[in-house]
Amino acid sequence: MSELILHHYPTSPFAEKARLLLGFKGLSWRSVKISPVMPKPDLTALTGGYRKTPVLQIGADIYCDTALIARRLEQEKALPAFFPEGQEMIAASFAAWADSVVFQHAVSLVFQPESIAVRFGTLPPEAIKAFIADRTELFSGGSSTKLSTEQAKHQWPTIMSRLELQLQREQGDFLFGEPSIADFALAHCLWFLKATPVTAPLVDAYPAVAAWHARVLGFGHGAFSEMTSEEALEVARTSQPAALPDEQFVDPNGLKAGQQVVIAATDYGVDPVAGELLFAGSEELIVRREDERGGVVHVHFPRFGFRIEAQ
Ligand SMILES: N[C@@H](CCC(=O)N[C@@H](CS)C(=O)NCC(=O)O)C(=O)O
């Protein structure tokens, strides 16, 4: 069986989400460190252009976006579940809200000048400039709009008071009683805020939330060992992609398997990935592409939040 290979970097909140997902399931994995800024030639050799962090590789199958990574890990090991029976919709919908709305607030709060000064304090000014230029590019061309720090500060008490109340009154230890994907999607946003003393009080001022957050982080990251990006490319090149899902191909816009398509995120990081459409399910899209260094790979994307166009 192929190993789970996570392409990520330590300070990425969505990578922390993926690491916690692996820890919760008690899975063993290999860790490939990637750059937080472009270019990322070894990563894009696998994805075909998708640059966001993290990416999960299993042999010659490449999974983009943590929303889909969670579903793939659920297939790998069903229990404990991210989508507990009877809570599939509520858990996935809350997670999508946290990953977009709460994350957008966290980004705006973390990148306020007082917090940046602490976070990037030891970095040379050119590195800070390069990082800001990279993120400006990342957020260009998609539907995501910048939330001002004033608006993020203004709305933050509403988000946190609602969570505090929910967690105080909840019978179980997690957002919806038992753990679910909702907990991990919210936790990584708060983990981002907890990284500096400037923004940590935005979490710590809410005791039930802070206690819940510690419980979620307590799942840890599972057992992992390092792998180089060259080794990961070698794994892709020497593996066969997995069989396609046993689900009906559905494309409401009439796309057919075998067509050349372009797939891209709609919000930010909208770099297109071109390939042959192999599968379109209710949750997942799969394209086949061939790379000089990665060989034949199947690249998987969530359907929701990604656009697909015939080429
Ligand atoms: N919807 C994506 C969001 C991923 C995301 O925004 N990741 C950030 C890092 S936390 C990113 O890609 N930043 C730019 C980069 O790493 O190149 C997911 O769930 O994986």
Side-chain angles (χ1 to χ4, degrees), residues 9 12-14 36 40 51-54 65-67 135 138 268:
Y9 56 87
S12 155
F14 277 96
K40 311 185 186 189
R51 60 140 315 169
K52 287 185 193 170
T53 308
D65 199 293
T66 55
R135 291 309 190 255
L138 176 73
Y268 57 91

Side-chain angles (χ1 to χ4, degrees), residues 9 11-15 17 34-38 40 50-54 64-69 99 103 134-135 138-139 188 192 267-268 306:
Y9 56 87
T11 55
S12 155
F14 277 96
K17 177 184 171 192
I34 60 171
S35 163
V37 293
M38 290 296 268
K40 311 185 186 189
Y50 180 88
R51 60 140 315 169
K52 287 185 193 170
T53 308
C64 299
D65 199 293
T66 55
L68 187 65
I69 290 173
D99 279 343
F103 182 65
D134 179 85
R135 291 309 190 255
L138 176 73
F139 282 95
H188 77 89
F192 198 26
D267 53 358
Y268 57 91
F306 282 74

